[in-house]
Amino acid sequence: DGGITQSPKYLFRKEGQNVTLSCEQNLNHDAMYWYRQDPGQGLRLIYYSQIVNDFQKGDIAEGYSVSREKKESFPLTVTSAQKNPTAFYLCASSFKAGLIYEQYFGPGTRLTVT
Amino acid sequence: GNSVTQMEGPVTLSEEAFLTINCTYTATGYPSLFWYVQYPGEGLQLLLKATKADDKGSNKGFEATYRKETTSFHLEKGSVQVSDSAVYFCALSVTDGYSGAGSYQLTFGKGTKLSVIP
């Protein structure tokens, strides 16, 4: 089955530790994205990548880092510099349908930092 | 810039009631419009889309019509079920009017939580 996998579903860390969230897709999509979701705030874009070895900052990139060494994988590192890291993190990928890019989402990782 | 405004929730309906969730937008360039649904504890699923004015997107009994004159894309369903309880997000992407290039990015509304009671 084609899709986007994120692991783990729940992640707990102590304050001051870096943590890496996994995102893998087997849809052969070129572009991948990371979003953060907080209650009442909707989705906010952290980073996105159009192709391998290239990525761009989104609206809230501070305190986060990414890499895109393979087309299938786009891991997100939440660093200790992120002031309020507890949130639900969603990974997405997209393909071009005509002139637009349709985004498809993974199941999410809920990160709790104490 | 681009923005999406959704009606604030939560919305609570009885089973078989009619649903409308309002969505309006502002956009530079030519927008394409989407509705996503998020069930509790899960990621977002694309529910329907419309890519030009007067297009109607439909799926699973849900419909939305892209109204350029009112810059709206309201979501409707004639008879909701308990299984429709979820958060619904309206979103847009923009195609540049000069280059014709589509944007990689989506702009989301804040979401509307729907609860359907038996």
Side-chain angles (χ1 to χ4, degrees):
Chain A
D1 282 337
I4 302 170
T5 57
Q6 292 186 244
S7 60
K9 189 168 180 65
Y10 298 95
L11 193 53
F12 298 88
R13 281 295 182 270
K14 295 289 187 185
E15 202 171 306
Q17 294 178 335
N18 292 354
V19 59
T20 297
L21 281 61
S22 168
C23 177
E24 304 278 332
Q25 55 100 358
N26 61 4
L27 300 168
N28 200 34
H29 289 173
D30 286 320
M32 297 185 74
Y33 310 75
W34 275 105
Y35 292 91
R36 171 181 171 138
Q37 186 177 23
D38 297 282
Q41 298 256 6
L43 275 72
R44 292 182 289 171
L45 182 64
I46 303 172
Y47 271 98
Y48 69 103
S49 168
Q50 299 176 22
I51 55 172
V52 173
N53 292 323
D54 187 45
F55 46 83
Q56 287 78 41
K57 292 181 179 180
D59 300 319
I60 56 164
E62 186 175 348
Y64 299 97
S65 66
V66 294
S67 63
R68 185 91 187 274
E69 297 177 1
K70 299 186 300 182
K71 186 175 184 177
E72 301 80 18
S73 178
F74 191 41
L76 173 74
T77 297
V78 184
T79 75
S80 57
Q82 169 49 234
K83 293 179 183 176
N84 186 17
T86 294
F88 189 50
Y89 290 88
L90 288 160
C91 178
S93 67
S94 71
F95 75 99
K96 196 168 186 183
L99 292 177
I100 65 171
Y101 291 90
E102 282 192 18
Q103 288 191 26
Y104 291 83
F105 285 79
T109 292
R110 186 167 298 281
L111 173 65
T112 302
V113 177
T114 57
Chain B
N2 303 322
S3 68
V4 174
T5 302
Q6 290 182 235
M7 62 185 289
E8 291 194 16
V11 174
T12 302
L13 295 174
S14 297
E15 206 164 20
E16 299 183 3
F18 185 86
L19 168 71
T20 299
I21 300 178
N22 291 337
C23 171
T24 57
Y25 66 88
T26 60
T28 56
Y30 295 100
S32 294
L33 297 161
F34 305 82
W35 276 102
Y36 283 85
V37 58
Q38 183 179 35
Y39 298 102
E42 297 183 10
L44 278 67
Q45 298 176 25
L46 179 60
L47 183 58
L48 53 84
K49 66 178 181 182
T51 58
K52 60 183 188 294
D54 299 325
D55 266 3
K56 178 186 282 188
S58 60
N59 186 25
K60 298 182 181 179
F62 291 89
E63 293 182 340
T65 301
Y66 179 161
R67 300 284 188 202
K68 186 178 178 181
E69 62 275 16
T70 55
T71 62
S72 65
F73 192 55
H74 304 323
L75 183 68
E76 296 182 336
K77 186 176 186 184
S79 175
V80 293
Q81 305 301 312
V82 172
S83 57
D84 294 325
S85 298
V87 180
Y88 293 82
F89 291 93
C90 185
L92 73 85
S93 70
V94 175
T95 301
D96 184 87
Y98 292 101
S99 67
S103 172
Y104 282 90
Q105 296 189 46
L106 282 174
T107 300
F108 286 90
K110 292 190 175 182
T112 302
K113 184 176 181 179
L114 170 66
S115 296
V116 181
I117 54 178

